Amino acid sequence: METVTENQKVRTVKKLEKMFGHIDFKNPPELCPVRDVMSVASDQWSTLIVLWLGYFPVLRFNKLKKYVYGISNKVLSQRLKVLEADGYIERKAYPEVPIRVEYSLTDFGQSYVEKLLDLAEWMHDNSPKVLANREKYGLL
Amino acid sequence: METVTENQKVRTVKKLEKMFGHIDFKNPPELCPVRDVMSVASDQWSTLIVLWLGYFPVLRFNKLKKYVYGISNKVLSQRLKVLEADGYIERKAYPEVPIRVEYSLTDFGQSYVEKLLDLAEWMHDNSPKVLANREKYGLL
DNA sequence: AAACCAAGTATATAAATGGAAACTGTTACT
DNA sequence: AGTAACAGTTTCCATTTATATACTTGGTTT
């Protein structure tokens, strides 16, 4: 459903009050942790990586690269490092030859995927509508 | 709660199957609508704009600029245009002098805010944990 | 012997983005 | 006359970010 009740709106405002209510605009925090954390986790490539790891419990570098199609080696490796540093994913290296490295979600990462997936699903379901809006707007 | 049950995981995989199951990796779609739509709506500045419009039903340009602190005129005006084109927000210009322009969420935008807010809340609640992870990782 | 795989790294180049500051145009205030 | 407010737009420049390509290291396959 797309219709939003007044009640929902009120709850939304309450939540936003919790998040934004305390900010002092005369001295805005130069580095906001939420912005910071969000900019890592909500990055275009990172979200795809995390979602694919929600789909397959374990993935190796080259598999990931195949699924997250279009990503370059460099960016994939960068993002994996950051996602590991922030605690979303785990990297297990087996000292075989050739070396095998397995990436998987941590529990924390799994809980993130749940949230992210809600959003991604919404995007999936509503992208036709957005594209239609965009088209219409372009014609005006 | 951060603990994820097996049941939840199964549901997650099912949803991801719906989203990703059909992709042909021999011929990956050159432009994926979900990626496209998501890259607009999940942009760092756009999310903040939309959230603030969820907090205050109507905001004018300079108010928005104050709340979304750190954003430049150029980027704010760009993002507002794109968000309008994609159908999230509405722009009402009153031909007064000096001109008054009011931005507000559409119903569609409001339904997006609901989803986005869930994620933002999660970020808000978990950012300390992420920051702690990051710290620990840096020390290794 | 040449080629290939793994999981990246390194390098060089290209592209997108972003911010600062100045400017627009009308009106009202001092 | 000067200045401020509004809602942006425009220009230039710097920084960031991304991509493609080649390379690594050791062993295994052709």
Side-chain angles (χ1 to χ4, degrees), chain B residues 89-136:
Chain B
I89 67 176
E90 195 185 354
R91 179 186 188 278
K92 268 208 186 108
Y94 299 86
E96 305 170 354
V97 170
I99 190 173
R100 180 163 54 105
V101 178
E102 293 185 343
Y103 293 94
S104 56
L105 293 177
T106 60
D107 283 353
F108 184 62
Q110 181 74 37
S111 98
Y112 173 52
V113 166
E114 312 279 329
K115 294 293 164 195
L116 185 60
L117 185 53
D118 274 357
L119 195 70
E121 250 194 320
W122 189 92
M123 292 289 171
H124 180 78
D125 297 340
N126 288 283
S127 64
K129 190 173 298 183
V130 171
L131 263 29
N133 280 334
R134 207 179 283 181
E135 194 101 3
K136 200 166 44 176

Side-chain angles (χ1 to χ4, degrees), chain A residues 94-111:
Chain A
Y94 299 86
E96 306 171 353
V97 170
I99 190 174
R100 180 161 54 103
V101 178
E102 293 186 344
Y103 292 94
S104 55
L105 292 177
T106 60
D107 283 352
F108 185 62
Q110 181 72 37
S111 97

Side-chain angles (χ1 to χ4, degrees), chain A residues 15-126:
Chain A
K15 290 184 188 174
L16 285 162
E17 166 77 34
K18 193 183 93 185
M19 290 187 59
F20 289 154
H22 62 87
I23 301 177
D24 171 21
F25 293 99
K26 289 176 173 64
N27 277 54
E30 59 306 314
L31 267 187
C32 162
V34 177
R35 284 190 188 189
D36 179 11
V37 168
M38 199 142 172
S39 78
V40 167
S42 302
D43 159 85
Q44 187 201 171
W45 293 122
S46 301
T47 54
L48 287 170
I49 292 169
V50 168
L51 287 174
W52 277 107
L53 284 171
Y55 195 16
F56 297 111
V58 171
L59 283 172
R60 299 171 62 176
F61 192 87
N62 282 323
K63 279 277 182 196
L64 260 171
K65 198 183 160 192
K66 194 181 99 188
Y67 292 132
V68 185
Y69 62 88
I71 197 171
S72 68
N73 280 6
K74 186 184 159 194
V75 172
L76 177 54
S77 130
Q78 261 177 9
R79 293 298 187 276
L80 287 171
K81 265 183 209 144
V82 175
L83 288 172
E84 192 194 357
D86 281 11
Y88 299 105
I89 68 176
E90 194 184 356
R91 180 186 187 276
K92 268 207 186 106
Y94 299 86
E96 306 171 353
V97 170
I99 190 174
R100 180 161 54 103
V101 178
E102 293 186 344
Y103 292 94
S104 55
L105 292 177
T106 60
D107 283 352
F108 185 62
Q110 181 72 37
S111 97
Y112 174 52
V113 167
E114 312 278 330
K115 293 294 165 194
L116 185 60
L117 185 53
D118 274 355
L119 195 70
E121 250 195 320
W122 189 91
M123 291 288 173
H124 181 77
D125 297 341
N126 288 283

Side-chain angles (χ1 to χ4, degrees), chain B residues 67-84:
Chain B
Y67 292 133
V68 185
Y69 62 90
I71 198 171
S72 67
N73 281 7
K74 183 186 161 191
V75 173
L76 178 54
S77 129
Q78 260 177 9
R79 294 298 186 276
L80 287 172
K81 265 183 209 145
V82 175
L83 288 172
E84 191 194 356

Side-chain angles (χ1 to χ4, degrees), chain B residues 9-45:
Chain B
K9 280 196 193 179
V10 171
R11 263 185 288 124
T12 296
V13 169
K14 281 228 178 85
K15 289 183 189 177
L16 285 162
E17 166 78 33
K18 192 183 93 183
M19 291 187 56
F20 287 156
H22 61 87
I23 300 177
D24 171 21
F25 292 100
K26 288 175 175 64
N27 278 54
E30 60 304 317
L31 266 188
C32 162
V34 178
R35 283 192 188 188
D36 178 8
V37 169
M38 200 141 172
S39 77
V40 167
S42 302
D43 160 83
Q44 189 202 168
W45 294 122

